[in-house]
Amino acid sequence: MDSLTQITLGAAVGELTLGKKIGNRAMMWGAVAGTIPDLDVLAGFFMKNVFLVMDELQSLMFHRGPMHSLLFAFLFSIVMASYTHWLYSSGTYKKKGFKWLSFGFGVFFVGFAYFLVGQILFELFGLKTMLIGLAVTITIAAYFFWRLWKYYVIKPSYEFEVSWKQWYLLFVLAIGTHPVLDCFTVYGTQILWPFNPDRIAWSNISVVDPLYTFPFLVCVLVASFLHRHSKARFNWNLAGVVISSLYMCFSFYNQARATTILKSTLAAKEISYNRILVTPSIANNILWRSTVETDSLYYLGMYSFFDKEKVFQLASVPGNHQLVADKSTDHTLEQLKFFSNDYYSIMEREDGHLQLNDMRYGTFKGDGSNPSDYIFHFVLEEREDGSFALGKTEAGPKEGEGENMVKDLWNRMKGKVE
């Protein structure tokens, strides 16, 4: 899910683990730990653009890969636990160097959070919305960062004793819950890597869902202002965990409802299928998308719980797998098929290249006949030897179309069917 949600979850887990012992430091380090798996985005960016040891395809596959596994959580927590155990022992935190080290550490993670927030807003809604969103985010985050810096670095700290095992428990839980949460989205994650390379995806919640995140965030923020030994602090933090967990359970119920309606729609239209995928549209759990796979076609559809008729509005899209039938062993094609969990269609572009569309995400609008209709698509450029290279990767609406997309999504969510 989005970085703000992962930070909130990490902070809540840190509080549950060590909040009574070290107060807001537990939230702070839990938030840091909750961000760490998403550093694979930054790592992939540098390995591709600076160190030149990755290409576009490898960078794409690296995200939500090894760094989003439970094995990574168990191993990297050893490093983090050793670091924090040293940092807060023998008066280290009182040294001048610690203050600047802490400041630099905080700036790095806050900056990384802005990078992710900006990237998500730009891809979804365009430049204008991104700048407004970042301005609001920076203002809020700057206040809390200053609060952390003032009270936990500049001012003297109280003495506390936390064992290495206790630090390790905090980090393994805060890092480990990150990929677990990502499993609930359609993107999925290689949580069992390297023992099982498949992406686990339950597809019951959107990668961004304000109704999941904001009640959770409010509870954690309220708890952060209360004394570490206060029962109210524990209750507020626990309330955030419980409310978010109940909402997650409710999303499974909604998915089951939508799946039942999809199956009845398919039965009424006498459509036989191989697989179906039902997942919420962006930022809500009311408007659901469907991807229905048949032998030669995909049926894409949408249904809102506010629709007057309990029927998915379906449109057919040819799979066109025969266009790449002679490239079954092509490495680039195989990787993209794996990435899309084999929910893919192929189409010919006007520039002569083939385009692979990830059908799990469906289309922005239209019937799928236009290459730019698809939310997630990849251009396949053929090399001289006949193999494919990954060309331009596109996701999100075109610049300037974000606001219209939000309006269309809102209207469709309210049950307005064109």
Side-chain angles (χ1 to χ4, degrees), residues 81-118:
S82 300
Y83 171 69
T84 49
H85 186 249
W86 164 79
L87 202 60
Y88 290 103
S89 63
S90 303
T92 303
Y93 66 89
K94 295 181 180 178
K95 298 178 181 178
K96 184 178 180 180
F98 166 70
K99 294 183 179 182
W100 292 109
L101 180 64
S102 301
F103 181 74
F105 203 64
V107 168
F108 172 79
F109 277 97
V110 171
F112 177 66
Y114 294 155
F115 169 78
L116 286 182
V117 170

Side-chain angles (χ1 to χ4, degrees), residues 1-2 5 205-214 247 283-285:
M1 294 188 72
D2 64 281
T5 305
I205 197 167
S206 171
V207 66
V208 178
D209 192 325
L211 289 182
Y212 176 87
T213 304
F214 286 112
Y247 183 82
N284 75 95
N285 210 249

Side-chain angles (χ1 to χ4, degrees), residues 61 64-66 68-69 188-193 197-200 338:
M61 300 302 295
R64 292 205 185 179
H68 277 70
S69 67
T189 186
Q190 290 178 281
I191 192 170
L192 300 178
W193 182 91
D198 293 339
R199 289 181 183 269
I200 307 299
F338 170 80

Side-chain angles (χ1 to χ4, degrees), residues 172-352:
V172 79
L173 291 177
I175 296 175
T177 51
H178 180 123
V180 172
L181 185 59
D182 280 340
C183 285
F184 293 101
T185 67
V186 68
Y187 198 106
T189 186
Q190 290 178 281
I191 192 170
L192 300 178
W193 182 91
F195 310 106
N196 182 349
D198 293 339
R199 289 181 183 269
I200 307 299
W202 298 310
S203 309
N204 59 290
I205 197 167
S206 171
V207 66
V208 178
D209 192 325
L211 289 182
Y212 176 87
T213 304
F214 286 112
F216 197 3
L217 177 62
V218 168
C219 289
V220 172
L221 288 178
V222 171
S224 72
F225 284 92
L226 302 174
H227 192 274
R228 61 192 176 98
H229 291 303
S230 168
K231 186 176 181 180
R233 177 186 174 103
F234 174 82
N235 289 338
W236 271 101
N237 187 66
L238 182 62
V241 174
V242 171
I243 291 171
S244 63
S245 299
L246 288 176
Y247 183 82
M248 189 66 76
C249 293
F250 184 64
S251 70
F252 276 112
Y253 170 69
N254 283 342
Q255 185 183 46
R257 290 169 61 196
T259 301
T260 299
I261 293 170
L262 174 62
K263 288 182 177 179
S264 66
T265 301
L266 295 173
K269 293 179 178 292
E270 297 183 345
I271 297 175
S272 59
Y273 57 88
N274 300 326
R275 294 186 298 168
I276 61 174
L277 177 65
V278 180
T279 186
S281 56
I282 191 70
N284 75 95
N285 210 249
I286 296 171
L287 180 61
W288 290 78
R289 296 183 181 274
S290 68
T291 303
V292 181
E293 180 191 65
T294 70
D295 291 336
S296 59
L297 296 171
Y298 286 97
Y299 289 94
L300 301 179
M302 300 189 81
Y303 170 77
S304 169
F305 291 129
F306 292 115
D307 285 356
K308 294 180 181 179
E309 294 184 78
K310 292 185 177 182
V311 176
F312 267 83
Q313 305 295 321
L314 299 176
S316 62
V317 175
N320 288 332
H321 291 177
Q322 73 278 1
L323 295 177
V324 291
D326 60 338
K327 304 290 179 89
S328 59
T329 59
D330 182 85
H331 176 70
T332 298
L333 183 61
E334 286 298 303
Q335 289 291 292
L336 292 178
K337 287 165 63 177
F338 170 80
F339 176 81
S340 63
N341 195 24
D342 275 332
Y343 283 104
Y344 72 98
S345 69
I346 304 292
M347 66 190 311
E348 295 178 293
R349 296 166 54 95
E350 291 183 356
D351 59 11

Side-chain angles (χ1 to χ4, degrees), residues 300 316-318 347 357 363 365-371 373-374:
L300 301 179
S316 62
V317 175
M347 66 190 311
N357 306 308
T363 60
K365 57 184 179 179
D367 57 4
S369 59
N370 191 315
D373 286 347
Y374 295 89

